[in-house]
Amino acid sequence: MSENKIKPRTLAGFVELLPKDQILFNDMYDKIRASYEKFGFAPLDTPILEYSEVLLAKAGGETEKQIYRFNKGDTDISMRFDLTVPLAKYVAMHQGELAFPFRRYQIGKVFRGERTQKGRFREFYQCDIDVIGDETLPLMTDAEIPAIIYETFTSLGFSDFTIRINNRKVLNGFFESLELTEKAADVLRVIDKIDKIGRDAVKEELIKLEMEAIVADKILEFIEIKGATDEVIEALTNLNIDKGAFVTGVNELKEVVKGIRGFGVPDSNFRIDLTIARGLDYYTGTVYETILNEYPSMGSVCSGGRYDNLAEFYTNKKLPGVGISIGLSRLFYKLQEAGIIEASKATTADVMILPMNEDLTYALNTAKVLREANINTEVNYSKKSVKSMMNYANRIKVPYVIIIGEDEEKENKVTIKNMTTGEQTTTNINDVVKMLK
Amino acid sequence: MSENKIKPRTLAGFVELLPKDQILFNDMYDKIRASYEKFGFAPLDTPILEYSEVLLAKAGGETEKQIYRFNKGDTDISMRFDLTVPLAKYVAMHQGELAFPFRRYQIGKVFRGERTQKGRFREFYQCDIDVIGDETLPLMTDAEIPAIIYETFTSLGFSDFTIRINNRKVLNGFFESLELTEKAADVLRVIDKIDKIGRDAVKEELIKLEMEAIVADKILEFIEIKGATDEVIEALTNLNIDKGAFVTGVNELKEVVKGIRGFGVPDSNFRIDLTIARGLDYYTGTVYETILNEYPSMGSVCSGGRYDNLAEFYTNKKLPGVGISIGLSRLFYKLQEAGIIEASKATTADVMILPMNEDLTYALNTAKVLREANINTEVNYSKKSVKSMMNYANRIKVPYVIIIGEDEEKENKVTIKNMTTGEQTTTNINDVVKMLK
């Protein structure tokens, strides 16, 4: 490379995929989008950049340190770090123009200047759905969310996954019964770690929060209630805790479970897990995590929950909601790393036409017929040898190749070759269209 | 609004659409993407952020002033301002891993801190396709591009548009014949303005470039060669200019025209326009602009051309290419402003189910059947009055509503209402699926 060239390179933590991987990624993107739309969610596409004052209204600590923030002229600008804050801003701004419940999905890039490490990205896709109510939002919405998760992961080709469900009111009411309300946030933070650090370490940390060992044991017994969904609900009921939040929470769980079944989600794909609290402060009711059972080390691949107030930093209007997020870039990376998904085609073409004749008229007509039948078609204009054109077709892994030589043109036929099986047949274009559809 | 709320607002020049408009926008996005894929182009998704040194290798002047550029830690970062520079970087970086010709499309946001004005955005979508060759690229590719433009704008619902084609070699060879080679760039800049400032002003400006009036007249006569495509080619041939570039250019134009016809693009949708030069310096052969004939004031809605060397700032490898770009955000804005496109639905749902019964089982089953048939379905869980639910359905303009009451449930039927015509019928769910497909 000569001295005066600039070395082409990409920022650390930023990804650009090769065509075959991008096609695989887009396939997942499309399936998630289609699943969200199947439930009638409307698309939203907020700007990448926002006023820092608006975007950071709530942020603090770690999040704020990771923000890409800069001045352009006199304007203090930040890049979005999630899709929830922009949603809150959007709903607060446009509340008069929106119909509630407002059901929106947004799939887009967000930016966090995290320390770079394997599988952690600074620019990554989130795929969010939220349903926002005006003052109230039916509990049935909490049951719809797992149905959407089920649809989404089923359409992505998974069957062995579990949507774990809990309710923050159950947790809070339970803590209240132990007179731990003031420490509830701390306790939640500690029990959230049980999968990572284990029972003993959790107990130790709980005791450090200044509670008696017997209380810590009660907490552990509680979050270790296991079993089939109805057994867990029965066990919770049998605790006979008469705190309002607890009773409400258990009733909500019951209703939500009934709804999830009504939506047709099999019992094998969801269960109550009392250890789930979700770290974020703003969840107030149902919470969700989703585990691919064969790959538990991936952690939750789809999480979220119910919150009382989406946009309290911008408006006095009460906007309760429930939503989930899929971290697509991370999920894609993990699935590829684990060999669960594998790229094949490096082209969107279903067919590549290899014209052998000097005159391309017949080849171009053939391409036109195929495209009119919605078959994606590339024509190879290279006028190179058959071998060289076949090499190219093989490299981009186009599924079918159509060879057009003098004989084919004379007989008004084409020769089509299945590039996977090697099978080859000469027939007319209408048969080819039928075969490829 | 209480004192401590932060006013939700969006940066000037940045757009977020209401659901109905976003759906309309996405519809255009999807059609453009599908058109690009119909020709077998592979998707690419480069990062929004790049090293400033890499992104600004070529930039200068106006462009550089508009860049969103900042430091994060020690890193000098810029936001992409087009999709061509990231493509050049990508191809230079990954040349060993790509198969050539590399046919890629990219649809994504780019950022320019322009002075804000109506219809000019600081964050906007570009929809690009480029075909990049390794050392060489067949001329047939230049003919394929108008076929893709034709497919794209036809799929967007347009019929009365013209793809204007020219060839820079024809222009350059012509200037050479007038011994104006050194001034060619200046002359091109001047004649590019003919639509805006008119013939006389162009002549004046040409004379200011220090040429005799008779030479300026020759230039004007040349660029005013009009007529049917074949007449223009004949007129060019009849000029008997023996400069190499001119002869090559005319031959290329001839070949490209033949190819365009081979692709099935009607003569009514393209023509040679010798006034088109495209401002950018790097076009070297065929150039394109696309005009919606009923809305000429919109200017070109799709432009591009052939260039000799995509990535000369990063690599010594010669990478000739040809490509086009659609400025989707601007096009969308202009089409809406002109009333050519109009939003309808504010939901992706085809159907909304209004359950009248307390128990939702039957309603949820109905929703499941519809979704399994790929019919996007929302269930209204509000338990409000029929009137209130109908109001909501009307506001988001869902095309069909399904009402499920006791009678319907008893008879295993549903009542479906066409929200446009008001027609209502009670039938079984299989008929509904058939009707909606």
Side-chain angles (χ1 to χ4, degrees):
Chain A
M1 197 173 286
S2 73
E3 291 283 328
N4 55 358
K5 302 289 178 193
I6 286 164
K7 187 169 184 255
R9 58 206 201 282
T10 299
L11 288 162
F14 288 72
V15 174
E16 51 194 7
L17 302 171
L18 287 174
K20 66 180 168 48
D21 297 320
Q22 189 64 52
I23 285 169
L24 192 63
F25 183 93
N26 286 9
D27 182 54
M28 290 185 69
Y29 179 109
D30 290 341
K31 283 173 176 160
I32 293 171
R33 178 183 164 187
S35 300
Y36 290 177
E37 293 193 350
K38 210 170 249 190
F39 286 77
F41 282 73
L44 179 60
D45 181 15
T46 62
I48 301 276
L49 301 181
E50 299 276 3
Y51 284 107
S52 296
E53 190 200 35
V54 171
L55 206 62
L56 304 177
K58 186 188 180 179
E62 272 313 298
T63 309
E64 193 146 348
K65 266 185 254 164
Q66 296 175 351
I67 306 293
Y68 288 91
R69 180 176 181 173
F70 58 93
N71 284 286
K72 176 87 179 162
D74 296 333
T75 315
D76 181 356
I77 294 175
S78 289
M79 298 182 80
R80 68 185 183 207
F81 55 91
D82 73 5
L83 301 175
T84 307
V85 179
L87 172 66
K89 182 212 73 171
Y90 178 86
V91 177
M93 265 182 86
H94 300 285
Q95 47 186 276
E97 300 156 283
L98 299 173
F100 291 93
F102 175 49
R103 300 160 66 86
R104 89 84 179 80
Y105 75 89
Q106 181 163 7
I107 305 179
K109 288 177 171 181
V110 302
F111 299 83
R112 293 184 197 170
E114 296 194 79
R115 219 159 53 85
T116 47
Q117 47 178 309
K118 242 182 106 192
R120 283 276 173 202
F121 305 109
R122 290 176 169 171
E123 175 187 74
F124 56 97
Y125 277 90
Q126 286 194 331
C127 312
D128 283 22
I129 48 173
D130 287 87
V131 186
I132 311 298
D134 176 357
E135 300 290 336
T136 62
L137 184 69
L139 187 63
M140 204 55 199
T141 321
D142 298 38
E144 187 184 23
I145 295 288
I148 302 167
I149 299 175
Y150 177 72
E151 168 72 33
T152 304
F153 281 85
T154 301
S155 84
L156 289 172
F158 295 99
S159 52
D160 190 8
F161 59 89
T162 304
I163 306 161
R164 297 187 189 173
I165 293 155
N166 196 9
N167 190 303
R168 289 290 290 258
K169 287 174 192 148
V170 171
L171 288 174
N172 292 340
F174 175 73
F175 296 137
E176 203 186 329
S177 76
L178 298 178
E179 293 181 341
L180 287 171
T181 300
E182 277 166 35
K183 293 177 185 162
D186 292 327
V187 174
L188 285 172
R189 224 180 342 268
V190 171
I191 65 174
D192 210 18
K193 301 190 220 169
I194 194 153
D195 280 349
K196 280 187 203 139
I197 65 174
R199 189 180 204 282
D200 294 345
V202 163
K203 184 171 176 182
E204 224 168 89
E205 287 204 28
L206 285 174
I207 289 168
K208 273 190 205 148
L209 294 175
E210 287 172 20
M211 64 181 74
E212 290 179 45
I214 194 171
V215 175
D217 280 333
K218 274 195 180 173
I219 293 172
L220 283 164
E221 276 164 41
F222 167 78
I223 62 171
E224 283 171 340
I225 294 174
K226 292 259 153 44
T229 302
D230 297 326
E231 287 164 21
V232 172
I233 290 176
E234 206 189 324
L236 286 173
T237 312
N238 291 344
L239 288 178
N240 280 321
I241 296 171
D242 63 355
K243 296 297 169 188
F246 186 85
V247 175
T248 308
V250 173
N251 283 335
E252 285 187 7
L253 263 184
K254 259 191 228 173
E255 273 299 301
V256 168
V257 163
K258 193 182 158 204
I260 294 173
R261 287 175 176 149
F263 272 102
V265 179
D267 263 56
S268 54
N269 286 106
F270 74 94
R271 68 177 173 86
I272 297 173
D273 182 337
L274 298 172
T275 69
I276 289 175
R278 301 299 306 149
L280 290 166
D281 287 336
Y282 73 90
Y283 291 119
T284 51
T286 316
V287 287
Y288 317 93
E289 291 190 352
T290 310
I291 303 293
L292 303 179
N293 295 322
E294 295 170 84
Y295 311 94
S297 67
M298 276 186 206
S300 175
V301 293
C302 176
S303 315
R306 157 80 76 149
Y307 42 88
D308 278 343
N309 218 340
L310 173 73
E312 57 184 329
F313 289 87
Y314 310 122
T315 175
N316 287 321
K317 192 179 183 81
K318 200 183 161 204
L319 296 163
V322 56
I324 45 162
S325 183
I326 298 174
L328 178 55
S329 300
R330 188 174 163 73
L331 177 62
F332 178 78
Y333 174 85
K334 290 276 181 191
L335 293 176
Q336 256 201 331
E337 196 193 27
I340 302 166
I341 54 171
E342 214 177 328
S344 53
K345 289 165 53 170
T347 174
T348 56
D350 305 306
V351 181
M352 186 187 295
I353 296 179
L354 313 188
M356 302 291 125
N357 308 333
E358 183 64 25
D359 188 282
L360 293 173
T361 312
Y362 185 76
L364 295 180
N365 274 336
T366 304
K368 194 162 176 275
V369 172
L370 291 170
R371 290 188 187 117
E372 278 168 3
N374 285 319
I375 295 162
N376 296 345
T377 306
E378 175 174 349
V379 181
N380 192 317
Y381 315 117
S382 65
K383 302 202 169 169
K384 290 186 179 158
S385 67
V386 188
K387 197 184 157 197
S388 156
M389 290 200 270
M390 277 291 186
N391 273 347
Y392 172 63
N394 265 320
R395 263 199 88 179
I396 67 173
K397 293 211 164 56
V398 66
Y400 291 90
V401 151
I402 284 179
I403 300 154
I404 295 178
E406 268 181 49
D407 289 351
E408 282 85 358
E409 193 164 339
K410 218 178 291 165
E411 293 168 29
N412 203 21
K413 294 194 164 175
V414 301
T415 296
I416 182 160
K417 181 176 180 176
N418 180 324
M419 296 295 277
T420 317
T421 64
E423 262 178 289
Q424 188 169 313
T425 170
T426 301
T427 180
N428 69 61
I429 187 66
N430 292 332
D431 285 344
V432 168
V433 168
K434 260 181 239 155
M435 195 189 99
L436 294 177
K437 290 293 271 190
Chain B
M1 196 173 289
S2 72
E3 292 282 327
N4 56 358
K5 301 289 179 196
I6 286 164
K7 187 167 183 255
R9 58 207 200 283
T10 299
L11 288 163
F14 288 71
V15 173
E16 52 194 5
L17 301 171
L18 286 174
K20 65 179 169 48
D21 297 320
Q22 189 65 53
I23 286 169
L24 192 62
F25 183 93
N26 286 8
D27 182 54
M28 289 184 69
Y29 179 109
D30 290 341
K31 283 174 176 159
I32 293 170
R33 177 182 165 189
S35 300
Y36 289 177
E37 293 193 349
K38 210 169 249 190
F39 286 77
F41 282 73
L44 178 61
D45 181 14
T46 62
I48 302 276
L49 301 182
E50 299 277 4
Y51 285 107
S52 297
E53 191 201 32
V54 171
L55 206 62
L56 305 178
K58 186 188 179 177
E62 272 313 298
T63 308
E64 192 146 346
K65 267 186 254 164
Q66 296 175 352
I67 306 294
Y68 288 91
R69 180 177 181 172
F70 57 93
N71 283 286
K72 176 89 179 161
D74 296 332
T75 314
D76 181 356
I77 294 174
S78 288
M79 299 182 79
R80 68 183 182 208
F81 56 91
D82 73 4
L83 301 175
T84 307
V85 179
L87 171 67
K89 182 211 73 170
Y90 178 87
V91 177
M93 265 182 85
H94 301 283
Q95 47 186 276
E97 300 158 283
L98 299 173
F100 292 92
F102 175 49
R103 300 161 65 86
R104 87 87 177 79
Y105 74 89
Q106 181 164 6
I107 305 180
K109 289 177 171 181
V110 303
F111 299 82
R112 293 185 197 170
E114 295 194 79
R115 221 161 51 84
T116 48
Q117 46 177 309
K118 242 181 105 192
R120 282 278 173 199
F121 306 109
R122 289 176 170 172
E123 176 188 72
F124 57 97
Y125 276 91
Q126 285 194 332
C127 312
D128 284 22
I129 48 172
D130 287 87
V131 185
I132 311 299
D134 177 357
E135 300 290 337
T136 62
L137 184 69
L139 187 62
M140 205 55 200
T141 321
D142 298 37
E144 186 183 22
I145 295 288
I148 302 167
I149 300 175
Y150 177 72
E151 169 72 33
T152 304
F153 281 86
T154 302
S155 84
L156 289 171
F158 295 98
S159 52
D160 190 9
F161 59 89
T162 304
I163 305 161
R164 297 186 188 173
I165 293 155
N166 197 9
N167 189 302
R168 290 290 289 258
K169 288 174 192 148
V170 172
L171 288 174
N172 293 339
F174 175 73
F175 296 138
E176 203 187 327
S177 76
L178 298 177
E179 293 177 344
L180 286 170
T181 299
E182 276 165 35
K183 292 177 185 161
D186 293 325
V187 173
L188 285 171
R189 225 182 340 272
V190 171
I191 65 176
D192 210 19
K193 301 191 219 168
I194 193 154
D195 281 348
K196 279 186 202 141
I197 65 175
R199 190 184 204 280
D200 293 346
V202 163
K203 184 170 175 181
E204 225 167 89
E205 287 203 28
L206 286 175
I207 289 169
K208 273 189 206 148
L209 294 175
E210 289 172 20
M211 65 181 74
E212 290 179 44
I214 194 171
V215 176
D217 280 333
K218 274 193 179 174
I219 293 172
L220 283 164
E221 276 163 42
F222 168 79
I223 63 171
E224 283 170 342
I225 293 174
K226 292 261 150 55
T229 301
D230 298 325
E231 287 164 20
V232 172
I233 290 177
E234 207 188 324
L236 286 172
T237 312
N238 290 343
L239 289 177
N240 279 319
I241 296 170
D242 64 355
K243 296 297 167 189
F246 185 86
V247 176
T248 308
V250 173
N251 283 335
E252 285 187 6
L253 263 184
K254 259 191 229 173
E255 273 300 301
V256 168
V257 163
K258 192 184 159 203
I260 295 172
R261 286 176 177 147
F263 272 103
V265 179
D267 263 58
S268 53
N269 286 106
F270 75 94
R271 68 177 172 86
I272 297 173
D273 182 337
L274 299 171
T275 70
I276 290 175
R278 301 298 307 149
L280 291 167
D281 286 336
Y282 73 89
Y283 291 120
T284 51
T286 315
V287 288
Y288 317 94
E289 292 191 352
T290 310
I291 304 293
L292 303 178
N293 295 322
E294 295 170 84
Y295 310 95
S297 67
M298 276 186 205
S300 175
V301 293
C302 177
S303 314
R306 156 80 74 148
Y307 41 89
D308 277 344
N309 217 340
L310 174 72
E312 58 185 328
F313 290 89
Y314 309 123
T315 175
N316 287 321
K317 194 183 181 80
K318 200 183 161 205
L319 297 162
V322 57
I324 45 162
S325 182
I326 298 174
L328 179 55
S329 300
R330 187 174 164 74
L331 177 62
F332 179 78
Y333 174 84
K334 290 276 180 187
L335 293 176
Q336 255 201 331
E337 196 193 29
I340 302 167
I341 55 170
E342 213 176 331
S344 53
K345 289 165 57 170
T347 174
T348 56
D350 305 306
V351 180
M352 187 188 293
I353 296 180
L354 313 187
M356 302 290 124
N357 308 332
E358 183 63 26
D359 187 281
L360 293 174
T361 312
Y362 186 76
L364 294 181
N365 274 337
T366 305
K368 194 161 176 278
V369 172
L370 292 170
R371 289 188 188 117
E372 279 168 2
N374 285 318
I375 295 162
N376 296 345
T377 305
E378 176 174 348
V379 181
N380 192 318
Y381 316 116
S382 66
K383 302 201 169 169
K384 290 186 181 163
S385 67
V386 188
K387 197 183 156 195
S388 156
M389 290 199 271
M390 276 291 187
N391 272 346
Y392 173 62
N394 265 320
R395 263 199 87 180
I396 66 173
K397 293 211 163 53
V398 66
Y400 291 90
V401 150
I402 283 179
I403 300 153
I404 294 178
E406 268 180 51
D407 290 350
E408 281 85 358
E409 194 164 338
K410 217 178 291 164
E411 293 169 30
N412 203 22
K413 293 194 167 176
V414 300
T415 297
I416 181 160
K417 182 175 180 178
N418 180 323
M419 297 295 277
T420 316
T421 64
E423 263 178 288
Q424 189 169 313
T425 171
T426 301
T427 181
N428 69 60
I429 186 66
N430 292 333
D431 285 344
V432 168
V433 168
K434 262 181 240 154
M435 195 188 99
L436 295 178
K437 291 292 270 187

